[in-house]
Amino acid sequence: MTNSTKQRRNFLLGGAVGGFAVISGASAWSLVQTLSPDADAIAKAGATVDLSEILPGEHITVSSGYRPYVIRHLTDHEIASMEPVDLDSVSDRQARNLNFPKRALATVTNRSVNLAGQFVIHSKVCTVRGCLIQPDARDERHAWMCPCCGSRYDLLGRVTSYAPRNLPIPRFITEYGSVIRILPPQWGRDPAIA
């Protein structure tokens, strides 16, 4: 082989390897960018809700960070019926409200969005098997029921039978007026959610 043939072969081989490296790197970068969420998706991970649009006695379901939550506007009668509950008679005395200290008791104030106790927000996922809870129209005290295990919860998401824990309340912030933003769960930092 002549010297010019070796140079030509080395040049073509180097060009082919370099081209392959560039194409492979571009493909890998494109794949990584496709798999990672964009800034809009991260910003929209929380849910924004205007509480004034929920009528008394009604509830809505919203998702934040792939977790379903129930928001209910309690009537005056429902608030009055929740107040006299003796916390010694419930199986879980903790509020499980991520906006309050860990040892806060499960009172109406500690389980509601506002101090008047008109709005309640809690997870829609049962604390036993992770099934979605459903409204239980058979009994006023048991507002929510798990179809999988039969656990029952009151309007505030406090366990009334079978389940070991109250339904957790997510972190939320009041943005303005009656608009709240439910923050997505922070795995590892929100033990009541994880």
Side-chain angles (χ1 to χ4, degrees):
M1 226 191 278
T2 64
N3 198 15
S4 65
T5 308
K6 285 183 183 179
Q7 286 180 339
R8 190 178 317 143
R9 184 187 65 185
N10 289 341
F11 175 79
L12 290 174
L13 185 62
V17 169
F20 178 78
V22 169
I23 292 172
S24 297
S27 298
W29 180 260
S30 176
L31 177 66
V32 168
Q33 290 300 316
T34 302
L35 295 177
S36 62
D38 61 326
D40 289 337
I42 293 170
K44 293 178 183 176
T48 303
V49 180
D50 186 357
L51 298 177
S52 65
E53 295 178 1
I54 307 171
L55 298 175
E58 292 185 354
H59 69 271
I60 62 169
T61 301
V62 296
S63 292
S64 176
Y66 304 108
R67 288 291 238 175
Y69 297 100
V70 174
I71 302 175
R72 182 173 179 87
H73 187 166
L74 299 175
T75 63
D76 293 335
H77 173 70
E78 290 170 340
I79 294 171
S81 70
M82 292 292 112
E83 276 299 341
V85 173
D86 180 19
L87 289 178
D88 292 330
S89 68
V90 296
S91 61
D92 186 7
R93 298 181 58 184
Q94 291 185 355
R96 304 231 181 257
N97 186 338
L98 298 175
N99 303 289
F100 285 98
K102 189 174 184 177
R103 299 280 181 208
L105 296 177
T107 61
V108 173
T109 305
N110 291 348
R111 295 277 308 167
S112 60
V113 173
N114 56 356
L115 293 176
Q118 297 170 326
F119 293 95
V120 175
I121 179 172
H122 55 74
S123 174
K124 196 173 179 180
V125 179
C126 178
T127 58
V128 177
R129 292 187 183 172
C131 300
L132 294 180
I133 59 171
Q134 299 174 350
D136 185 7
R138 294 182 293 168
D139 186 357
E140 187 175 302
R141 184 169 176 255
H142 304 291
W144 300 100
M145 177 185 147
C146 176
C148 301
C149 67
S151 294
R152 297 210 166 144
Y153 304 89
D154 67 6
L155 288 169
L156 301 175
R158 296 180 297 196
V159 62
T160 57
S161 68
Y162 188 65
R165 297 187 314 269
N166 294 330
L167 296 170
I169 298 173
R171 294 181 198 280
F172 62 86
I173 56 174
T174 303
E175 290 199 334
Y176 53 90
S178 62
V179 176
I180 65 167
R181 181 174 180 81
I182 303 167
L183 304 175
Q186 298 175 349
W187 303 108
R189 287 194 54 208
D190 294 347
I193 302 271

